[in-house]
Amino acid sequence: MSLFSCTQHVDDGEEEMLMAEDHGPDLIHPHDFRRPRSISRSDLAYSHCKEDEREQPVAHESLDYLPSHSGVYKKWLQEKAYRKEWDRWLLMGLIGTAVGMLGFLTHQIIDSLITLKWDLVENYLKDGNFHLTWVCVLGTGLAMILVSSSSVLFFCPAGSPSGLPEIIGYLNGTSIQHLFNIKTFLGTFVSCVLAVAAGLFCGPEGPMVHLGAILGCGLSQLQSDTLGIHLPFFTRFQNSADKRSFITAGAGAGIASVFRAPIGGLLFTLEEVSSFWNIRLAWQTFFCCLMATFTTDLLSSSLYGFVYRGHFGFFEAEKRILFWVKNLLDMHIFAFIPTILLGMLGGLLGALFVSLNIKINKLRMRFFNSIPKSSVRKTSKLLETMLILVCTTTVTVYLPYFFSCTPVMNVRDGQLRNNSEINLFKREISEYGCSPSTSWIGPDGVRYSNRTFNQAAALLVENGKQGITYLFKRGTHEEFGYTSLCTALAFYFILSCWTAGSAVASGLVIPMLYTGALYGRIIGLILVSIFGVQTNEYGAWIDPGLFAAIGAASFFSGVSRLTISLTVIMVEITNDVQSLLLIMLAVMVAKMVGDFFNASLYSSLLRLKCIPYLDVEPFVHHGKKWLNLELFSARDVMEPHVRVLHLKENIASLAQLLASTSHGGFPVVCRPKPDHAEVFQGTIKRLELCMLLENEHIFEPETNHESFSSSHPLSYEKITVEKLPNLSRLTMLLNRYTTDPRYQQLFINLEPYINKSAMSVQAHFSLQRTYIIFRTLGLRHLTVVDPQNRVVGVITRKDLMPFPLEKRLRLQLASQSPDTGE
C-alpha cells in the first residue's frame, strides 16, 4: 500500500518530546490542538499552583522530539548521504572542554573575589575594630549583590533566575522560554560568581548545570537570533532529538567540572536530570564529562588566581580532589549503628528543609505578585537579597567575636606550610584576635608551632567549601566544640534555606553538604565524648571527620533524594573508598525517611514553578485511596472536542483556524471511499502550517477530487522551523487570507507534509498503559480513535498532569456506582 494512500491502519508511534525557544524572542504559544477548556491555567500543572503564587504568567508547552515522518521528510532523508559519527564526538569534546574552562573560570573568580574582600579589612581586624570590618565587608558584598541580582532581574530575558528545575522540566518535554538564551547565560554566570563571592550561603553547582546545558545547546546548534548568528556548520544536529542529547551532556559536564567528578556527573544526569536515556547517550555524556573534568584539572594544575604557578599538567591530589581525605580509617560493624542514626536524621532534616524552603518561596511569590508594577516588584526582590546579605554578613563577622581561640592540634610548621589551609589560619589569627604563635625546634630537629584559631571563623569566614574541608578532616577529634558546631548549624540551616529561591543564581549543593557535615561532626563528637579518643586500630573509626562525611551525604540525600549518583560523587570528592558502604547506607535511609514526609526539593520546585512534569509512574489518589489507572480508559481523560483538518484544506478556513486558536497541532483525516467515514490519517504541526501559508505558490484552485498532488511541494528544510521567523508578517497574511474573497477558492494539499507515523490509541485503551506510552515515547499529543479509526478525542501532557487527571477521574467515579468506583 502506498505511504500516502488513505488507510485505517495507524503506523508506529511518533516519539515527540521537546524543542524550546533557545536563542530568540517569544514563541507563539501552541499549547495543544483542542478547543478552549474549562480548567483554568492555574490548574494545568498542579493543584497548588494558584495565580497568586506565580512569579509571572508563564506559558509552558511541549514541543516535538523526533521530526514529522512526512513525505517531504523521507525525500530529504533519501538525498542525505550516510554520515559517520565523528562530528558528534567532536561536538561532545568541544562542549566538555568549554564547560571545563567555564568551571575553572568560575572557581578562580570566586576565590579571587573572596580573597580580595577579606584582604581589604585585614588591618581593621588586627586592631580589633569589628564595626568597621562589618561596614567594609557589607559594603563590598552589597555592591556584588546589587550586580548579581540585577543581572538576573533586569538583564536576563526571563526576569528571574532559572536553574536545575527548569532543565529537568525541559528534558522531560516542557518548553520554557529564554532558557537557553545568550543573555540568560551571561546573566546567570555573573550572578552566580558574585552571589557566592559576596558571602551568601550558597554554591555555584546549580547554575553550573544550567550554564553547561546552555553551552551544550549553543555549541551544537551554532545559531543565535539574539546575536544574529547562523553558522552553516553541523546543521544535521539542528533538530530537537540531537539538541536534547547535547543539552543532557552539557548539564552532566557542569556537575563534573564543578566537583571534579566525571562519573558523578554522568550518573547525576541519568538519575535526576534526563527523562529519556539510552546507552549511546550515556557513552557520549561520559566522554563529555571526561573532557570537562580534564580541562578543569589541567588549567587548575598551574593557574591560581589567574597567575601562572608552574607545574603545568601535574595533577596534585590535594588540588584535584575537592575535599581530599588523606587518612582512610578501618571500619567496624559498630560504625553502622551511628550511620543509621545519621541517615534518619538526614531524612528528617532534609524533609524539614524542603518543607521550610517551599513555604518561604510560596510566601515570597505571594508577596511579590501582590505588587502590580513590574519595576517595583523587581526592585523589591533586589532589596530582599540585600537583606539576606546583611543578615549573613552580620553573622559571619560578629559571631566569631564570641568564641575564644583554640590551639591547632598537633600541627608542625613544615606540614602547615604545605597545606592549603595556611592562608585561612593566618587570616583567622589576625582577624579575630588570636595571639601570635610561638615556635620551637623539637628533639627531632623539626620546628613546631602552637598556633591557635577561632572555631566559628574557621567555619563561617570564607565559604562553605572551606568549612567542609575542615569538618571532613580526620584526626581532629576535639578541634571543634559543641558550641561552635551547633551555632554554625543553626545559622547556616536557616540562612541557606532563606537564600535558596531568592533573586540570584545560586546552588544548594555546598549548603547541603555543609549542613550535613555539621550535624555529622556533632554525632562524631558525642561518640568521642562517650568512648574517648581511640588510638587502636579497632576503635579508629570513632572519628568526627568520618561522620561529618556521612552526615553530608545523608542531608544531601534527604533534600535531593539522590542515591546512586550521590554515593559516587561523595567518593569522588573525598577519595574515601573505605567509607563507601557507610555512605550507601546513610543515603538509602535518608531517602526512605525523607520520602515518608514529602517529595524531593527539585520535584517540589517543579510543582511550585508550575512546570508540567510527567513522573515515570502516575500517582493519583481519591480521598485517602490511590487509584488503579488500569480500571480506567483513555476515554476518561481525553478531550472530545477536536479540531481536525483534511488532506485538501481551504486557505481561508485554515487561516481562520490558525488566527482563532493557539493549538500546537491538528489531526488530519480523510475518506478512503466517498461513502466512508473520515478516518485518522496523521497529524500536522501549527508551525508547519504557518510556513506553508507563507508560500502562496503552492496554493491550488479547487478540484473535484478529495486528494490532489502538488507538482512542487516545499522542501523539508523550508517547513521545519523551531519558531516563526516573522510573527508580524504571519499575522498580516492570516488577516489577508481570511478577508480576501480570492482565497475562498484556493486550497492546499497537506498530504506531503503530514506525519504519517503519529501515535494513536483506541478509546477503550487502558489509562495506565496510555500514560506509560505517552511518557516513555515522550509524546506531545496522543490521538484517540474508535474501532473504525475515527478521531474521537485527544490527550495532551496537561491531561495527564496530577491535578487535571485526578479531577477528571473524580468526576468519572462520581458518575459511577460505589461498587464500580471501588
Side-chain angles (χ1 to χ4, degrees):
M1 185 178 294
S2 170
L3 175 66
F4 301 110
S5 64
C6 190
T7 173
Q8 298 185 43
H9 173 69
V10 182
D11 293 330
D12 290 337
E14 168 195 8
E15 296 184 11
E16 297 181 350
M17 194 191 70
L18 64 136
M19 195 58 250
E21 184 277 315
D22 297 334
H23 307 281
D26 293 356
L27 285 170
I28 288 183
H29 305 304
H31 298 293
D32 49 43
F33 47 53
R34 298 163 299 171
R35 294 180 185 272
R37 300 177 48 180
S38 60
I39 299 177
S40 65
R41 289 187 61 193
S42 59
D43 292 334
L44 288 174
Y46 295 90
S47 60
H48 71 277
C49 278
K50 300 179 177 62
E51 289 295 332
D52 61 347
E53 295 175 351
R54 286 176 168 238
E55 288 284 348
Q56 58 184 2
V58 178
H60 298 301
E61 70 275 355
S62 50
L63 294 176
D64 295 324
Y65 169 36
L66 289 181
S68 172
H69 191 253
S70 59
V72 292
Y73 174 69
K74 293 188 67 177
K75 182 180 179 181
W76 176 76
L77 287 179
Q78 291 173 350
E79 298 172 352
K80 293 293 179 181
Y82 175 77
R83 291 176 177 266
K84 296 184 178 180
E85 290 290 289
W86 67 266
D87 49 352
R88 185 184 301 274
W89 289 98
L90 175 62
L91 274 180
M92 286 292 180
L94 290 175
I95 292 170
T97 302
V99 174
M101 295 175 64
L102 182 67
F104 166 78
L105 187 64
T106 300
H107 283 298
Q108 292 294 305
I109 294 176
I110 291 174
D111 293 340
S112 299
L113 290 176
I114 291 176
T115 302
L116 176 63
K117 180 180 68 174
W118 287 102
D119 284 345
L120 289 174
V121 299
E122 186 171 0
N123 292 330
Y124 298 128
L125 288 168
K126 285 181 179 179
D127 299 334
N129 194 336
F130 288 90
H131 302 302
L132 277 178
T133 299
W134 179 81
V135 171
C136 291
V137 172
L138 181 61
T140 55
L142 287 176
M144 294 182 190
I145 283 298
L146 179 64
V147 179
S148 173
S149 186
S150 298
S151 64
V152 295
L153 290 174
F154 301 102
F155 183 74
C156 289
S160 61
S162 56
L164 192 55
E166 285 78 9
I167 299 298
I168 294 173
Y170 178 89
L171 293 179
N172 184 257
T174 301
S175 173
I176 302 175
Q177 294 184 49
H178 313 299
L179 186 59
F180 302 110
N181 193 283
I182 184 65
K183 289 186 177 180
T184 302
F185 175 83
L186 296 176
T188 301
F189 175 75
V190 172
S191 179
C192 171
V193 296
L194 292 180
V196 178
L200 291 179
F201 290 164
C202 61
E205 305 77 26
M208 271 301 300
V209 174
H210 187 193
L211 294 173
I214 295 176
L215 285 176
C217 175
L219 292 178
S220 64
Q221 303 302 296
L222 294 178
Q223 57 181 346
S224 170
D225 289 340
T226 303
L227 300 178
I229 297 175
H230 297 276
L231 300 179
F233 305 110
F234 303 114
T235 55
R236 77 184 188 98
F237 298 127
Q238 292 177 4
N239 60 79
S240 55
D242 287 319
K243 178 185 285 189
R244 172 181 59 85
S245 299
F246 288 116
I247 290 172
T248 302
I255 286 290
S257 174
V258 77
F259 281 130
R260 319 287 177 85
I263 306 300
L266 168 66
L267 294 177
F268 181 81
T269 58
L270 167 63
E271 187 173 1
E272 184 65 30
V273 178
S274 180
S275 297
F276 303 91
W277 196 258
N278 58 66
I279 190 62
R280 188 181 73 165
L281 178 59
W283 181 223
Q284 292 166 355
T285 304
F286 175 82
F287 175 64
C288 188
C289 292
L290 182 153
M291 291 300 299
T293 308
F294 172 77
T295 303
T296 303
D297 288 342
L298 186 64
L299 296 175
S300 301
S301 65
S302 58
L303 293 172
Y304 183 78
F306 300 106
V307 178
Y308 182 71
R309 307 286 183 176
H311 306 291
F312 180 77
F314 181 68
F315 298 161
E316 298 180 54
E318 190 171 357
K319 290 183 178 180
R320 192 204 170 282
I321 302 174
L322 206 59
F323 308 115
W324 185 32
V325 175
K326 300 178 183 179
N327 304 318
L328 303 185
L329 302 175
D330 295 329
M331 292 297 112
H332 195 283
I333 192 172
F334 289 151
F336 287 88
I337 298 176
T339 297
I340 294 175
L341 176 62
L342 281 173
M344 297 174 63
L345 190 59
L348 290 172
L349 290 179
L352 176 62
F353 185 93
V354 172
S355 177
L356 184 60
N357 181 256
I358 295 302
K359 290 183 186 308
I360 291 174
N361 281 317
K362 284 184 178 181
L363 181 63
R364 175 185 284 135
M365 294 168 68
R366 186 177 294 113
F367 172 75
F368 289 134
N369 285 333
S370 65
I371 303 174
K373 196 172 181 180
S374 176
S375 59
V376 178
R377 182 167 59 248
K378 291 182 178 181
T379 303
S380 301
K381 294 179 181 180
L382 178 61
L383 293 176
E384 186 211 9
T385 59
M386 291 184 171
L387 177 61
I388 296 174
L389 182 67
V390 171
C391 297
T392 305
T393 303
T394 302
V395 170
T396 301
V397 173
Y398 282 107
L399 192 61
Y401 176 77
F402 300 99
F403 286 82
S404 58
C405 295
T406 305
V408 179
M409 307 299 293
N410 301 323
V411 177
R412 299 189 295 180
D413 263 1
Q415 293 175 335
L416 195 59
R417 203 166 17 248
N418 295 325
N419 196 306
S420 62
E421 297 163 353
I422 177 66
N423 292 328
L424 184 57
F425 277 121
K426 283 183 177 179
R427 182 170 298 146
E428 288 160 4
I429 295 168
S430 62
E431 286 177 347
Y432 294 99
C434 295
S435 58
S437 62
T438 59
S439 60
W440 65 92
I441 299 177
D444 53 0
V446 178
R447 182 177 296 275
Y448 290 83
S449 173
N450 64 347
R451 296 186 177 184
T452 58
F453 74 105
N454 187 298
Q455 294 184 18
L459 296 175
L460 298 173
V461 163
E462 289 205 18
N463 52 43
K465 189 171 75 171
Q466 188 63 53
I468 294 171
T469 303
Y470 283 126
L471 296 172
F472 283 4
K473 192 176 180 181
R474 306 293 164 81
T476 56
H477 296 73
E478 299 175 342
E479 199 163 84
F480 296 97
Y482 290 108
T483 306
S484 61
L485 291 173
C486 292
T487 305
L489 174 61
F491 281 107
Y492 210 93
F493 184 92
I494 295 172
L495 288 175
S496 62
C497 190
W498 185 14
T499 303
S502 59
V504 291
S506 60
L508 270 176
V509 175
I510 289 296
M512 287 189 288
L513 292 175
Y514 186 61
T515 303
L518 285 170
Y519 71 72
R521 185 104 186 174
I522 293 173
I523 297 297
L525 195 58
I526 292 175
L527 294 176
V528 172
S529 300
I530 297 174
F531 299 104
V533 178
Q534 301 293 317
T535 57
N536 63 81
E537 59 179 340
Y538 297 105
W541 59 271
I542 304 179
D543 191 306
L546 169 65
F547 293 105
I550 297 173
S554 69
F555 188 72
F556 196 164
S557 178
V559 174
S560 67
R561 313 297 156 81
L562 297 174
T563 53
I564 303 173
S565 60
L566 173 56
T567 302
V568 174
I569 288 175
M570 288 301 301
V571 172
E572 287 188 294
I573 64 177
T574 62
N575 198 38
D576 191 3
V577 183
Q578 188 71 6
S579 305
L580 177 61
L581 291 179
L582 299 179
I583 293 174
M584 292 175 66
L585 178 61
V587 164
M588 286 300 301
V589 173
K591 173 177 170 55
M592 289 187 291
V593 172
D595 285 339
F596 182 78
F597 293 98
N598 51 29
S600 70
L601 178 63
Y602 303 130
S603 298
S604 301
L605 289 175
L606 283 169
R607 295 188 180 97
L608 183 67
K609 296 184 176 185
C610 301
I611 299 175
Y613 182 88
L614 295 182
D615 288 307
V616 177
E617 290 286 340
F619 297 101
V620 181
H621 61 87
H622 177 60
K624 296 183 178 180
K625 295 183 179 180
W626 292 100
L627 296 180
N628 186 353
L629 299 192
E630 288 281 16
L631 302 177
F632 300 89
S633 64
R635 181 188 295 106
D636 297 327
V637 298
M638 72 180 187
E639 171 58 46
H641 305 293
V642 185
R643 303 292 293 268
V644 298
L645 298 177
H646 302 83
L647 291 180
K648 183 180 70 172
E649 193 65 40
N650 179 263
I651 297 299
S653 301
L654 184 59
Q656 178 63 34
L657 177 64
L658 293 178
S660 59
T661 66
S662 60
H663 307 326
F666 301 87
V668 180
V669 297
C670 68
R671 297 180 185 274
K673 298 178 181 179
D675 59 344
H676 201 283
E678 294 178 337
V679 297
F680 178 63
Q681 174 72 0
T683 61
I684 188 167
K685 295 180 291 186
R686 179 188 187 90
L687 289 177
E688 292 174 343
L689 290 172
C690 292
M691 295 306 297
L692 290 174
L693 291 181
E694 290 189 357
N695 294 269
E696 290 193 37
H697 66 275
I698 63 172
F699 299 168
E700 300 183 10
E702 184 177 9
T703 63
N704 295 326
H705 303 286
E706 173 70 18
S707 177
F708 61 99
S709 59
S710 299
S711 56
H712 299 287
L714 293 180
S715 64
Y716 173 72
E717 293 93 336
K718 287 187 177 181
I719 66 170
T720 306
V721 294
E722 299 175 10
K723 56 186 177 297
L724 294 174
N726 192 333
L727 182 59
S728 58
R729 180 174 183 271
L730 176 66
T731 304
M732 179 192 68
L733 287 176
L734 293 180
N735 181 64
R736 191 210 311 170
Y737 293 159
T738 54
T739 56
D740 193 334
R742 291 185 299 121
Y743 295 98
Q744 297 284 350
Q745 310 300 323
L746 294 179
F747 293 79
I748 186 172
N749 179 24
L750 300 179
E751 187 177 47
Y753 314 105
I754 65 173
N755 181 13
K756 293 279 186 171
S757 296
M759 190 67 181
S760 67
V761 296
Q762 293 199 356
H764 62 265
F765 198 76
S766 161
L767 180 57
Q768 173 78 15
R769 304 180 192 199
T770 299
Y771 184 98
I772 294 174
I773 290 175
F774 197 100
R775 170 62 168 74
T776 304
L777 297 181
L779 299 181
R780 175 186 181 181
H781 43 251
L782 184 61
T783 305
V784 183
V785 298
D786 63 9
Q788 287 74 42
N789 204 31
R790 295 175 297 187
V791 176
V792 295
V794 68
I795 296 174
T796 68
R797 164 180 294 265
K798 295 173 184 176
D799 292 313
L800 300 178
M801 297 305 297
F803 179 65
L805 186 60
E806 179 182 334
K807 184 175 181 180
R808 290 217 172 201
L809 296 185
R810 188 184 298 120
L811 295 175
Q812 182 68 21
L813 289 173
S815 64
Q816 299 175 352
S817 65
D819 292 339
T820 306
E822 289 293 329

